[in-house]
Amino acid sequence: MTINKAWTAEDGLTYLSVRPAQKKINTQFDTWEITPGTDLFTTVPMAKDAQALLTCPVRDEVAGASRAELLPYPPAHFVTLLNQLDSGLYDGVGYDLVFDEVGQVTSLKSLYKP
């Protein structure tokens, strides 16, 4: 998936605007290549106890983290980090999302990309 927007609403829930993307392994660099989809973006809620697991640097906050290290953040903090990114980078960063039985995102993991 790619995300083009994230926000926390007045009800305290975090929402993501997402669309499918393709991922494939770049074996030369041991990273993911993300190919954004062309579908319309869909809004999905995150569960209140969801975690965003970031495996690639978002600004300086996680610089120096090992590629294999997953750094967990609550949904509201993920919104802050995502909104600090240049919007031109959104399509190149991919995420694996896990949904529960009612369609809420319970886990979000960024895919390592140089």
Side-chain angles (χ1 to χ4, degrees), residues 2 4 17 25 34 42 51 63-64 80-81 97:
T2 55
N4 82 328
S17 179
I25 295 174
I34 308 302
T42 301
Q51 285 195 336
T80 300
L81 294 174
L97 303 180

Side-chain angles (χ1 to χ4, degrees), residues 26-65:
N26 179 332
T27 56
Q28 182 179 2
F29 299 107
D30 195 26
T31 59
W32 291 105
E33 290 181 17
I34 308 302
T35 304
T38 57
D39 296 343
L40 296 176
F41 284 93
T42 301
T43 298
V44 295
M46 290 187 79
K48 287 189 178 190
D49 61 348
Q51 285 195 336
L53 302 169
L54 304 181
T55 57
C56 60
V58 177
R59 297 266 181 206
D60 295 331
E61 182 123 2
V62 295

Side-chain angles (χ1 to χ4, degrees), residues 44-110:
V44 295
M46 290 187 79
K48 287 189 178 190
D49 61 348
Q51 285 195 336
L53 302 169
L54 304 181
T55 57
C56 60
V58 177
R59 297 266 181 206
D60 295 331
E61 182 123 2
V62 295
S66 161
R67 287 187 296 188
E69 183 178 1
L70 299 177
L71 303 174
Y73 293 96
H77 192 65
F78 173 71
V79 169
T80 300
L81 294 174
L82 184 72
N83 289 329
Q84 290 175 356
L85 286 177
D86 181 317
S87 61
L89 300 175
Y90 288 175
D91 279 346
V93 179
Y95 301 89
D96 281 336
L97 303 180
V98 176
F99 293 88
D100 64 14
E101 64 279 351
V102 295
Q104 293 184 47
V105 175
T106 58
S107 177
L108 173 153
K109 181 171 65 170
S110 65

